[in-house]
Amino acid sequence: MRRETPRSTILIVDDEPDLREVVAELLEMEDYTVLQAANGQAALDVLASHQHPCLVLLDLMMPVMDGLEFLHRLREDERHRELPVLMLTAHFSAKAPPGTVGLLRKPVDIAELLRMVARHCPAAA
C-alpha cells in the first residue's frame, strides 16, 4: 500500500545506469523521492538545483569525479557539510571513509540498504 505523500529525497550517485535504476525503483517503491547522478560533478550540479536530500548513496569509483573527491567537495560546502553519505563499492578491501555513515558492498544487500536508508531518512508526516 502506497502512502499519499512520499518520504524524503535520496540522491544516488553511481556511473552504472542499471544499478542506479534498480536502486531508484526499489527506493521509489518504499515511497522515497529519488534523484540520480552519474558522477560526482553531476551530483554537485543536482545538489545546487534541488532540495536538500536526506541521504546520498555514493559509488566510490566513477569517471569525471570519483566518490572521494565528491565527498571532499561536499564537506567544503557549509550547506551540505552534515549531509549523510553512504558509500557503495564493489571493492572488497575498501573501508568506509571519514565523513560517511557507512559502506555497503556491491551487490548491495537490499534489506541492509533499506535499514540504512530508514536510519537517515524520516518517514513522511
Side-chain angles (χ1 to χ4, degrees), residues 22-62:
V22 167
V23 173
E25 189 173 310
L26 170 72
L27 293 172
E28 287 167 350
M29 288 172 52
E30 295 293 321
D31 294 321
Y32 292 101
T33 299
V34 178
L35 303 172
Q36 298 183 40
N39 60 63
Q41 183 57 58
L44 291 175
D45 296 343
V46 167
L47 288 173
S49 62
H50 288 82
Q51 70 181 28
H52 189 77
C54 61
L55 179 67
V56 175
L57 300 177
L58 179 64
D59 187 22
L60 182 60
M61 300 299 294
M62 297 176 288

